[in-house]
């Protein structure tokens, strides 16, 4: 018997290629295109979306965020609350009751010991875990029997839903990763490339920086309900956003294409072919220019290293007037309307969601004349008539780097033009996304190492609560050689008022009260011009084929968050 869940008749279409490899469409499998190829299947060793999403097909957290911002349970049996006793009255602990019917894909039982191990794994002092910030303030994770675990904090946590919530913090199997502790984390290639999971699929083959193939997990908890609907998943990387979109919307070679940073008119034209649809979801994703607070001269032995005494500060970007003028020169409306269309909105706030968190105190209308006046008043002038201003003997020449992407290169070109109008010379540099967002500490081209004056990329929050995202800019968390360039404070920012507000936020309960502190934190970042927000991006802008059902695009978590619900729709 044929059903939409299992098809015995296989129809194969071989048309063109994506990333140089021919794609086939098999009705019992789903073809997913990520033009940034996955390099590892362990989100504790990579913060790149490409790696987190590829991992999410296999690995699961206790709970994750649904598109509406509510908690969706995976491995836990209920959401902890004050009322059910899951959250302690003093707000210093949260207890998760786990499902007792979960097994790993190898058939072994999932228990609280796996949760405890995952915390020990990421917080080991020699680990270099990129998600370590998610466990800040956690003093213990204890198994309270086989199917209950308590997380205890060093202070009251009004928002305790950070550890083990969202696909950036899935649970790892202790039996598989037990020897991969500390300095051995990255060396465990078998585990990092083919993790045992509790999710709907298991890894069949992984070719790093190319393709991952998955097959149905026979031990998945909802297998008796016909989930997952597909026998196989092919998660293909490489190519570019435009070719990925075309494969779904025009040629019908693939089912799903991710992160479609494509000129709106081009995307609209593709969608008009009638083979698929473009979908967007807004969470908290912001395309931002990050301004380096440190000296990045290649001859500097402490290049891009933050020093608390200010001895390694940037020679002219440390001047607020320069940063302010750079921000005032940019027209965010043109960037959003011409380059992003439906997938972006102009903004001058770093925090743009939920609505209660949005500051009314910022302004970002383009003002070239005003920017020039700010620089003149600060004594940043063109003394030699070459069209480039100087400050303290340093010409205002900036290198501006980002990942290779047509929308980002067009953004760079416009901003270079606007900065030229205020006497700032700009060298544009683009880096392959796999390298730029990679985690290789030896590479000079990663966004964490930030060997450039300014850089641009999108960041966001995996939770509707903004505390985690804002905490990235706390003093003492800058990437550097002492932490293998894995720190979260990319702009090397340190501000006592900002840190004090973060401390206040960590002790503040109630949505309205928390929103007031979040607005204050946003205003410090924006009004100090520590960074320049450009476009409030849809957290997800993807395309899927009309023949694919069950897709519920998520702006708060992995786009693969509900892949077990995907199915082949009747046409």
């Amino acid at each position: 018997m044929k059903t939409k869940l299992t098809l015995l008749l296989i129809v194969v279409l071989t048309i063109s290629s994506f990333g140089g490899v021919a794609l086939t469409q098999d009705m019992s499998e789903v073809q997913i295109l990520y033009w940034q190829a996955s390099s590892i299947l362990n989100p504790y060793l990579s913060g790149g979306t490409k790696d987190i999403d590829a991992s999410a097909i296999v690995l699961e957290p206790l709970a994750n965020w649904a598109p509406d911002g509510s908690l969706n349970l995976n491995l836990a049996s209920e959401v902890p609350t004050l009322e059910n006793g899951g959250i302690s009255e003093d707000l210093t602990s949260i207890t998760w009751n786990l499902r007792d019917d979960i097994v790993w894909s190898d058939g072994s039982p999932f228990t609280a010991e796996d949760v405890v191990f995952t915390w020990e794994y990421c917080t080991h002092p020699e680990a270099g875990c990129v998600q370590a910030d998610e466990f800040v303030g956690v003093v213990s994770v204890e198994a309270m029997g086989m199917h209950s675990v308590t997380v205890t904090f060093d202070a009251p946590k009004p928002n305790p839903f950070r550890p083990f919530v969202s696909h950036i913090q899935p649970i790892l199997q202790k039996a598989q990763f037990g020897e991969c502790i500390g300095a051995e984390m990255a060396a465990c290639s078998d585990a990092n490339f083919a993790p045992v999971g509790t999710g709907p699929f298991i890894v069949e083959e992984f070719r790093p920086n190319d393709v991952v193939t998955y097959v149905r997990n026979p031990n998945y908890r909802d297998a008796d309900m016909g989930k997952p609907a597909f026998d196989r998943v092919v998660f293909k990387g490489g190519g570019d956003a435009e070719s990925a979109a075309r494969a779904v919307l025009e040629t019908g070679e693939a089912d799903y294409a991710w992160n479609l940073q494509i000129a709106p008119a081009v995307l609209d034209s593709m969608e008009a072919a009638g083979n698929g649809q473009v979908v967007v979801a807004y969470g908290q994703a912001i395309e931002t220019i990050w301004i380096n607070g440190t000296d990045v001269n290649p001859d500097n032995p402490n290049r891009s290293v933050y020093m608390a005494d200010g001895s390694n500060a940037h020679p002219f970007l440390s001047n607020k007037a320069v940063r302010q003028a750079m921000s005032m020169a940019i027209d965010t409306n043109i960037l959003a309307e011409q380059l992003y269309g439906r997938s972006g909105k102009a903004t001058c706030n770093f925090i743009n969601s939920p609505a209660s968190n949005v500051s009314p105190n910022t302004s970002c209308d383009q003002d070239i004349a005003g920017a020039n006046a700010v620089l003149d008043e600060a004594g940043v002038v063109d003394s030699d008539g070459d069209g480039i201003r100087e400050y303290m003997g340093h010409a205002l020449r900036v290198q501006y780097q980002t990942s290779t992407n047509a929308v980002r290169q067009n953004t760079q070109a416009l901003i270079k033009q606007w900065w030229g109008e205020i006497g700032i010379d700009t060298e544009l540099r683009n880096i392959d996304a796999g390298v730029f967002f990679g985690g290789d500490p030896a590479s000079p081209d990663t966004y964490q190492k930030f060997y450039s004056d300014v850089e641009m990329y999108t960041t966001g929050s995996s939770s509707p609560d903004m505390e985690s995202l804002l905490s990235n800019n706390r003093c003492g968390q800058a990437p550097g050689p002492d932490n293998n360039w894995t720190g979260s404070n990319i702009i090397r920012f340190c501000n006592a008022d900002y840190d004090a507000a973060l401390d206040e936020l960590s002790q503040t309960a109630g949505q309205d009260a928390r929103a007031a502190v979040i607005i204050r934190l946003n205003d410090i970042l924006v009004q100090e011009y520590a960074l320049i927000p450009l476009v409030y991006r849809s957290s997800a802008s993807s395309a899927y084929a009309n023949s694919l059902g069950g897709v519920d695009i998520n702006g708060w978590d992995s786009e693969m968050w509900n892949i077990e619900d995907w199915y082949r729709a009747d046409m």
Side-chain angles (χ1 to χ4, degrees):
M1 176 181 294
K2 298 178 184 178
T3 71
K4 70 179 181 181
L5 300 180
T6 304
L7 297 178
L8 300 180
L9 176 62
I10 296 176
V11 179
V12 178
L13 300 174
T14 303
I15 310 176
S16 59
S17 64
F18 177 78
V21 177
L23 293 172
T24 61
Q25 190 176 68
D26 178 339
M27 300 303 285
S28 64
E29 73 180 27
V30 60
Q31 294 267 2
I32 300 171
L33 303 182
Y34 269 51
W35 50 271
Q36 294 176 17
S38 176
S39 56
I40 196 169
L41 299 180
N42 182 348
Y44 292 106
L45 290 176
S46 174
T49 303
K50 61 190 178 65
D51 299 320
I52 293 168
D53 284 5
S55 304
I57 297 173
V58 173
L59 298 171
E60 297 180 297
L62 299 183
N64 63 293
W65 299 104
D68 64 359
S70 64
L71 277 172
N72 172 70
L73 296 173
N74 292 303
L75 305 178
S77 60
E78 62 180 351
V79 176
T81 64
L82 281 168
E83 290 73 21
N84 64 24
I87 298 175
S88 65
E89 291 187 4
D90 63 1
L91 306 180
T92 61
S93 69
I94 180 171
T95 297
W96 291 91
N97 292 320
L98 311 179
R99 290 179 57 157
D100 59 9
D101 60 344
I102 304 292
V103 297
W104 294 99
S105 59
D106 63 6
S108 61
F110 163 74
T111 74
E113 290 298 330
D114 296 302
V115 183
V116 174
F117 167 76
T118 300
W119 171 67
E120 294 171 343
Y121 172 88
C122 186
T123 57
H124 190 284
E126 298 178 13
C129 176
V130 299
Q131 308 299 349
D133 285 351
E134 302 302 318
F135 296 102
V136 169
V138 175
V139 295
S140 68
V141 178
E142 299 177 274
M144 314 300 287
M146 283 189 64
H147 297 106
S148 181
V149 63
T150 295
V151 179
T152 302
F153 303 97
D154 59 5
K157 282 288 180 183
N159 174 46
F161 298 108
R162 266 183 86 177
F164 312 120
V165 175
S166 96
H167 279 94
I168 66 173
Q169 301 168 77
I171 309 305
L172 301 180
Q173 188 192 49
K174 180 179 180 179
Q176 183 182 34
F177 284 86
E179 301 299 319
C180 304
I181 288 287
E184 299 300 317
M185 281 181 72
C188 292
S189 57
D190 288 348
N192 293 328
F193 290 172
V196 174
T198 57
F201 293 94
I202 60 177
V203 178
E204 180 182 55
E205 182 184 15
F206 178 37
R207 300 204 299 268
N209 302 311
D210 184 9
V211 64
V212 194
T213 56
Y214 310 81
V215 294
R216 183 196 304 267
N217 175 5
N219 292 308
Y220 184 59
R221 57 185 172 273
D222 291 332
D224 60 349
M225 299 171 59
K227 295 183 181 183
F230 292 99
D231 296 328
R232 292 167 58 85
V233 174
V234 177
F235 193 95
K236 181 75 181 75
D240 54 48
E242 189 166 329
S243 60
R246 183 169 291 110
V248 172
L249 297 173
E250 289 190 343
T251 67
E253 299 170 75
D255 296 299
Y256 194 93
W258 163 83
N259 195 16
L260 302 183
Q261 285 192 342
I262 303 169
V266 174
L267 199 57
D268 291 345
S269 175
M270 291 183 186
E271 191 176 31
N275 292 321
Q277 56 187 297
V278 177
V279 286
V280 298
Y282 282 89
Q284 167 59 34
I286 177 74
E287 184 82 353
T288 303
I289 289 180
W290 307 84
I291 298 178
N292 200 328
T294 65
D295 187 354
V296 295
N297 189 318
D299 297 327
N300 178 4
N302 292 312
R303 185 181 188 188
S304 207
V305 175
Y306 172 78
M307 294 184 177
D309 63 2
S311 60
N312 202 40
H314 195 284
F316 58 83
L317 291 178
S318 55
N319 184 329
K320 181 179 176 180
V322 175
R323 304 192 304 269
Q324 180 180 357
M326 293 169 75
S327 177
M328 293 172 67
I330 296 171
D331 191 330
T332 57
N333 288 303
I334 286 179
L335 297 178
E337 293 168 6
Q338 295 189 8
L339 302 182
Y340 285 84
R342 75 183 97 182
S343 64
K345 304 173 184 178
T347 185
C348 52
N349 282 311
F350 185 62
I351 302 299
N352 293 275
S353 183
S356 59
N357 291 339
V358 180
S359 172
N361 307 318
T362 57
S363 175
C364 54
D365 293 334
Q366 185 186 45
D367 186 357
I368 296 291
N372 277 309
V374 165
L375 291 172
D376 289 342
E377 186 176 348
V380 185
V381 298
D382 175 14
S383 62
D384 56 11
D386 65 353
I388 302 171
R389 294 175 183 265
E390 304 97 31
Y391 174 70
M392 301 289 288
H394 296 277
L396 269 58
R397 299 181 187 275
V398 298
Q399 184 186 80
Y400 172 8
Q401 70 180 20
T402 189
S403 62
T404 303
N405 172 285
V407 172
R408 287 194 167 130
Q409 270 66 81
N410 287 334
T411 301
Q412 281 183 308
L414 286 168
I415 291 175
K416 174 183 172 74
Q417 174 186 326
W418 293 325
W419 283 350
E421 294 178 35
I422 62 171
I424 298 176
D425 183 56
T426 308
E427 173 196 351
L428 302 182
R429 184 167 184 257
N430 66 85
I431 303 166
D432 178 84
V435 175
F436 187 66
F437 294 112
D440 182 1
S443 172
D445 296 324
T446 63
Y447 77 96
Q448 299 103 321
K449 193 159 281 187
F450 201 174
Y451 280 171
S452 190
D453 301 291
V454 299
E455 64 184 6
M456 179 177 69
Y457 61 91
T458 293
T459 192
S461 173
S462 58
S463 158
D465 188 272
M466 297 297 115
E467 183 175 350
S468 176
L469 176 61
L470 289 164
S471 294
N472 287 340
N473 298 309
R474 184 184 286 275
C475 295
Q477 295 183 182
D482 57 337
N483 57 26
N484 218 19
W485 300 97
T486 59
S488 61
N489 191 340
I490 301 299
I491 50 179
R492 284 70 168 159
F493 178 72
C494 188
N495 181 290
D497 291 339
Y498 188 86
D499 283 7
L502 282 175
D503 292 339
E504 181 181 346
L505 182 62
S506 71
Q507 301 171 46
T508 300
Q511 181 178 348
D512 291 344
R514 289 179 67 78
V517 183
I518 288 168
I519 288 173
R520 197 180 336 142
L521 286 160
N522 172 88
D523 291 352
I524 291 173
L525 289 174
V526 173
Q527 294 170 5
E528 284 296 316
Y529 304 96
L531 46 77
I532 305 175
L534 298 176
V535 177
Y536 175 32
R537 287 186 55 192
S538 56
S539 295
S541 176
S542 299
Y544 67 92
N546 291 332
S547 64
L548 186 64
V551 175
D552 190 5
I553 195 165
N554 195 338
W556 291 117
D557 214 304
S558 167
E559 291 183 44
M560 302 293 107
W561 77 285
N562 76 326
I563 193 170
E564 68 273 15
D565 295 325
W566 294 10
Y567 62 90
R568 187 65 64 193
D570 296 329
M571 296 292 291

